[in-house]
Every structure is written in structure tokens, then in C-alpha cells.
């Protein structure tokens, strides 16, 4: 539904956030290479002002050159990313190599995920623009999944990008057309997507949606696999007296943050890990046929999401206790619960005691973020904030315990390495800094790397 003129006039948030990779100067005293991006920004703002009824002084858009000297850089970026209506990334090879651009993308993507969780309607509020064309096979997962027809902006735009059009006078008409069409798309998406403002994310601690490769290792573009397992009852076998409104026909339908969230937690987790360039497989703990054999090397990192009410079932509780006794550090446990759920709040002491008796190892080992996640996350916001750290911990432990193979021939001293389809995907898993605990935990010998 399109916003009315009154609604637009009362909403003075920036229509778009222009996300771009800074180009270094070539040689001392050379011209500012980003002046062309600034020209694009000014042209877009002019079109947006003409296409809307924004009052004088209201920001049509934002780029980081708008930050005044002395203003907190990361705080200002976090504030605008939490309020802007549309995110406009300028695609280029340099863009997807930039950790800062990946952080901006991730910060905005979380708002769209929460919007869909609360409304159960997707919010496609990212409008990409080609600054320098990038081959499709070089796009990271979050960019590759965007459904966007660049051809509508002109054939020359597709082959040369905005940089090529803006630099060559011969293509001035094509440039004007492309910018005009881009501005129209920004206004249309801003009015229809309806992504509301959120609390600012700590930009300095945000992960990159593209990942950050280790030194001397190639950047992975395709999504990396991760397994998300749900341990929860269904509405047909909930404990006596438990409200079935939080459950569905399958464990995967469990929705602990009802009624704030209209989507099951499994699919919120799936969206969150997708924004970190992972592809999740969702399974049920009750029906997972994979044996609990910690002696076998892992094939992917895993998240185990547990409903504390699921521990009321003695058989399920015994299986979870057996899981806790196994050495499976590549499985991160997350226990979502809802502080607004009066039943869970009233039974909190009993549920917590049962959890501690069943999973003593997972509740006491690992990083601070992993221990906090295993002890319980009482809101959807807390769940979204901590999940990237939990995913990072599981990915690092996967790398440490996955099977390695010595090089063929036996005469080389080359370091053993991962092989097979998982090797490329996990070449770049170390990309999320710890927000809660930068140093490894001394009591956990299996989590010694930062």
C-alpha cells in the first residue's frame, strides 16, 4: 500500500542511504576519486525531492560525507542505518571487498528481517545500483539473492555502470536516464516496503554481510552451509497446561516470541544466517536421523535451538543430556524464551533448573556470548544481537574439528587442509568480532582462538 501525502510529509527520515566503497587517491595530490559518487548522490537527492513532498531541510538521502567534523562517525552511521527507508549499495569489485560496506549492508538487512518477523510480509528495501559492473559469479550470497532488473535502467548502464556513464560525456543522456530511473525506484520502494525505524546497531561491532577473509586466503562468494535444529514440542504434545499458541504442527513451527513475532524462530534464524552469507538447513531434534556420534568429524557447523518446555518430555530430555555429554563444540546451543510469556516467566526457576541439569556443559563452556545464548535470550532483539557471535563460534569450532587430509605424495610438509565442497565455503569464517567477550575463555580449552 502506498503511503499517503500526509504520511510522507510527517516522515522526515532519509529516503535512502548511499553505501559505497571509498576509492584511494592515485598518487599524492591527485583529484578526489569519490567526487563522482558525490555527484551521483546530489543528482539522486534532487530527483527524490522533486518526486516527493519532503519539506525544505528534510534529508532526501545520506552518504558518509554528510557527517560533520567532530561528529561521532560510527554513532551517526548507526543512527541513519536504523532510520533510512531504502538502502542503495553501489556495486563494484571494491564494494564487496570492503568490510565497512558489508557492515552497512548487515545493519540495514536486520531491520528488514525484523519487519518480516513482525508482519509476516517480506520487505525488499535494498535497491542496488551498478557503479562498476560485477560478474554474477563474483557476487556474495546476499547480493546474488536480490531480485532486481538492472536492464530497466538502460543497456549502456548494464555494460558500463554509472561510473562509465558519468565519466564519458558521450553517455550523458544515458547517465541522466539511469539516475532518474534509480530515483523513481527508490521512492517507490520507500513508499511500499514500509520498513520502520529500529534501535541503532553498534556499527563498530556489526559483522560484515560479505565476510572478511583471512590473510592469503581467497574470499568466498557462495553461501556456506549451516544446520539449524529445533528441539521443541508441537501443539499436539505440549506439556499439560502449556499454551499451544506458541507451537504448530511441527517442532519447526515453534514461535517463542509470539505475539510480537508472526514467524517461527527457525525461519528468523534462517534469515539472520542468510544475511551472514550462510545457507541454513532446518531440522527437528526429535526427527533428526543423524546419530549423536562425536567421534565422527563434523560436516558443517550447527545451531541447536531449544525450547525449555521441551525438557518436560523425559525421552527428549534424556537425548539432550546425552548430546551434552558428547564433545561437539561445533554445535552452538541457543535457548530463546519470551519475557512477555507469562507462563514461562512464572515457571522460570523450574525451567532454568531443568535446563541446567540437562545441559551443564553447554551452559558453562565457550565464549561469553555462547554461554549467554545457552542460558536464555528473553527477546527477539537479544536473539538477533547475539546470533552472529554464536554462528561465528560454531564456524570456528567446525574448522578446528573437520577432517583434514595430508597432501598427496607424502613427501611434502605442506600444512593439512580441508578438501571437498566445504573447503571453499569455510575459507572465510572468521568475520565476526566478539561483542561481549574479545578474549577467549580461560576455562574452555577448546575455544582458544579469538
Amino acid at each position: 500500500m502506498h503511503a499517503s501525502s500526509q504520511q510522507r510529509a510527517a516522515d522526515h527520515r532519509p529516503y535512502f542511504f548511499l553505501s559505497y566503497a571509498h576509492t584511494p587517491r592515485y598518487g599524492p595530490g591527485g583529484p578526489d576519486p569519490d567526487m563522482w559518487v558525490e555527484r551521483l548522490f546530489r543528482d539522486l537527492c534532487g530527483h527524490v525531492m522533486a518526486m516527493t513532498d519532503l519539506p525544505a531541510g528534510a534529508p532526501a538521502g545520506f552518504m558518509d560525507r554528510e557527517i560533520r567534523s567532530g561528529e561521532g562517525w560510527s554513532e551517526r552511521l548507526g543512527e541513519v542505518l536504523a532510520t533510512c527507508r531504502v538502502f542503495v549499495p553501489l556495486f563494484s569489485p571494491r564494494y564487496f571487498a570492503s568490510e565497512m560496506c558489508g557492515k552497512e549492508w548487515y545493519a540495514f538487512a536486520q531491520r528488514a528481517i525484523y519487519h518480516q518477523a513482525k508482519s509476516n510480509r517480506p520487505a525488499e528495501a535494498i535497491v542496488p545500483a551498478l557503479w562498476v559492473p560485477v560478474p554474477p559469479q563474483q557476487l556474495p550470497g546476499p547480493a546474488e539473492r536480490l531480485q532486481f532488473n538492472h536492464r530497466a535502467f538502460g543497456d549502456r548502464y548494464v555494460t558500463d555502470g554509472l561510473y562509465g556513464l558519468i565519466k564519458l560525456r558521450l553517455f550523458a543522456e544515458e547517465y541522466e536516464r539511469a539516475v532518474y530511473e534509480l530515483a523513481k525506484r527508490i521512492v517507490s520502494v520507500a513508499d511500499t516496503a514500509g520498513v520502520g525505524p529500529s534501535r541503532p546497531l553498534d556499527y563498530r561491532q556489526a559483522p560484515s554481510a560479505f565476510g572478511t577473509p583471512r590473510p592469503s586466503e581467497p574470499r568466498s562468494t557462495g553461501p556456506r552451509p549451516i544446520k539449524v535444529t529445533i528441539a521443541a514440542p508441537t501443539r499436539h504434545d505440549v506439556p499439560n497446561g502449556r499454551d499451544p499458541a506458541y507451537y504448530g504442527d511441527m517442532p519447526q513451527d515453534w514461535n517463542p516470541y509470539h505475539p510480537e513475532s508472526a514467524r517461527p524462530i527457525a525461519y528468523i534464524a534462517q534469515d539472520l544466517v542468510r544475511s551472514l552469507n550462510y545457507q541454513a538447513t532446518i531440522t527437528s531434534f526429535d526427527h533428526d536421523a543423524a546419530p549423536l556420534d562425536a567421534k565422527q568429524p563434523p560436516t558443517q557447523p550447527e545451531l541447536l535451538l531449544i525450547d525449555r518446555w521441551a525438557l518436560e518430555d523425559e525421552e527428549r530430555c534424556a537425548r539432550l543430556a546425552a548430546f551434552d555429554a558428547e564433545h561437539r563444540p561445533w554445535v552452538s546451543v541457543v535457548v530463546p524464551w519470551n519475557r512477555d510469556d507469562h507462563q514461562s516467566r512464572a515457571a522460570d526457576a523450574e525451567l532454568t533448573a531443568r535446563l541446567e541439569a540437562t545441559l551443564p556443559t553447554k551452559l558453562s563452556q565457550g565464549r561469553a556470548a555462547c554461554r549467554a545464548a545457552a542460558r536464555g535470550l528473553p527477546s527477539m532483539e537479544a536473539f538477533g544481537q547475539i546470533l552472529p557471535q554464536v554462528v561465528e563460534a560454531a564456524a570456528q569450532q567446525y574448522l578446528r574439528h573437520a577432517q583434514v587430509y595430508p597432501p598427496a605424495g607424502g613427501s611434502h610438509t605442506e600444512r593439512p587442509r580441508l578438501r571437498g565442497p566445504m573447503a571453499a565455503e569455510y575459507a572465510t569464517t572468521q568475520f565476526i568480532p566478539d561483542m561481549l567477550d574479545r578474549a577467549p575463555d580461560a576455562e574452555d580449552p577448546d575455544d582458544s582462538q579469538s
Side-chain angles (χ1 to χ4, degrees):
M1 181 180 296
H2 288 269
S4 69
S5 297
Q6 286 184 331
Q7 288 173 323
R8 288 200 303 264
D11 188 353
H12 296 168
R13 295 179 296 143
Y15 261 77
F16 68 95
F17 181 106
L18 188 64
S19 177
Y20 68 101
H22 291 258
T23 302
R25 292 179 185 269
Y26 182 74
D32 178 8
D34 290 329
M35 65 180 179
W36 302 109
V37 177
E38 185 168 11
R39 177 187 164 184
L40 168 66
F41 173 74
R42 300 300 174 195
D43 290 343
L44 281 173
C45 287
H47 285 312
V48 169
M49 290 298 292
M51 295 174 185
T52 65
D53 50 9
L54 281 173
F62 176 89
M63 68 179 296
D64 59 12
R65 291 194 174 201
E66 301 287 288
I67 300 177
R68 297 183 297 271
S69 177
E71 187 176 7
W73 178 72
S74 62
E75 290 80 4
R76 178 63 175 147
L77 281 181
E79 175 188 333
V80 180
L81 285 165
T83 57
C84 64
R85 311 182 207 198
V86 174
F87 183 77
V88 181
L90 286 187
F91 283 12
S92 70
R94 189 179 299 277
Y95 185 85
F96 295 113
S98 167
E99 182 182 13
M100 294 299 103
C101 294
K103 286 172 175 279
E104 292 170 357
W105 187 304
Y106 177 84
F108 185 85
Q110 303 319 291
R111 290 174 54 199
I113 291 172
Y114 292 142
H115 174 88
Q116 184 173 5
K118 293 177 181 180
S119 66
N120 208 22
R121 296 191 304 271
E124 301 296 339
I126 297 179
V127 177
L130 301 179
W131 185 244
V132 177
V134 181
Q137 65 271 20
Q138 294 182 15
L139 295 175
E144 185 182 20
R145 285 190 294 268
L146 291 178
Q147 300 296 317
F148 195 84
N149 181 19
H150 291 284
R151 189 71 59 182
F153 293 178
D155 292 340
R156 181 64 65 178
Y157 164 79
V158 173
T159 58
D160 290 273
L162 288 166
Y163 178 73
L165 301 186
I166 202 172
K167 286 286 289 182
L168 300 176
R169 294 181 182 177
L170 176 66
F171 301 138
E173 185 175 339
E174 285 87 345
Y175 169 77
E176 294 295 342
R177 174 192 172 185
V179 175
Y180 176 73
E181 294 294 338
L182 178 59
K184 279 174 48 179
R185 186 68 61 89
I186 289 170
V187 173
S188 174
V189 170
D191 287 345
T192 56
V195 177
S198 66
R199 290 186 182 180
L201 190 68
D202 188 343
Y203 179 78
R204 294 165 298 182
Q205 305 292 357
S208 168
F210 315 142
T212 302
R214 299 169 182 169
S216 304
E217 286 186 330
R219 176 179 297 275
S220 173
T221 56
R224 297 156 289 188
I226 191 169
K227 183 178 179 181
V228 178
T229 302
I230 307 297
T234 70
R235 63 179 179 174
H236 307 294
D237 61 359
V238 294
N240 289 335
R242 175 60 174 151
D243 187 351
Y246 295 92
Y247 305 94
D249 293 329
M250 299 186 299
Q252 294 92 320
D253 296 328
W254 171 46
N255 182 5
Y257 300 123
H258 167 80
E260 178 187 12
S261 172
R263 302 190 75 209
I265 192 67
Y267 300 103
I268 297 176
Q270 183 181 50
D271 288 345
L272 287 166
V273 300
R274 275 165 59 101
S275 71
L276 296 168
N277 205 15
Y278 283 87
Q279 186 66 44
T281 301
I282 301 175
T283 64
S284 162
F285 183 78
D286 289 349
H287 304 114
D288 191 348
L292 289 175
D293 185 1
K295 295 180 182 179
Q296 295 296 321
T299 59
Q300 60 189 326
E302 301 179 31
L303 301 178
L304 175 58
L305 276 57
I306 300 176
D307 176 17
R308 296 184 300 175
W309 291 95
L311 303 177
E312 298 294 301
D313 181 278
E314 295 297 335
E315 181 181 351
R316 188 186 296 118
C317 188
R319 289 187 63 217
L320 285 168
F323 154 78
D324 188 68
E326 296 279 4
H327 185 64
R328 299 165 64 85
W330 56 89
V331 183
S332 289
V333 169
V334 183
V335 180
W337 71 282
N338 189 346
R339 64 163 63 98
D340 295 324
D341 173 3
H342 71 277
Q343 286 184 327
S344 293
R345 196 168 61 246
D348 183 61
E350 178 185 344
L351 294 173
T352 298
R354 190 72 176 262
L355 179 68
E356 291 175 345
T358 305
L359 300 167
T361 302
K362 285 296 184 182
L363 265 63
S364 62
Q365 288 188 349
R367 299 176 177 179
C370 295
R371 297 195 303 271
R375 291 187 175 276
L377 301 174
S379 69
M380 188 165 59
E381 184 178 81
F383 179 82
Q385 181 182 17
I386 211 168
L387 196 70
Q389 302 164 75
V390 174
V391 169
E392 164 69 352
Q396 287 190 1
Q397 291 295 347
Y398 162 75
L399 284 176
R400 295 185 65 190
H401 293 86
Q403 188 171 1
V404 295
Y405 298 89
S411 59
H412 300 282
T413 57
E414 181 184 353
R415 186 177 181 180
R417 60 192 185 277
L418 286 172
R419 286 183 176 175
M422 301 295 293
E425 286 88 342
Y426 282 93
T428 61
T429 21
Q430 278 188 297
F431 61 91
I432 302 177
D434 264 332
M435 287 193 278
L436 299 181
D437 188 16
R438 291 185 176 274
D441 296 292
E443 71 271 22
D444 182 9
D446 213 20
D447 192 20
S448 58
Q449 75 262 32
S450 60

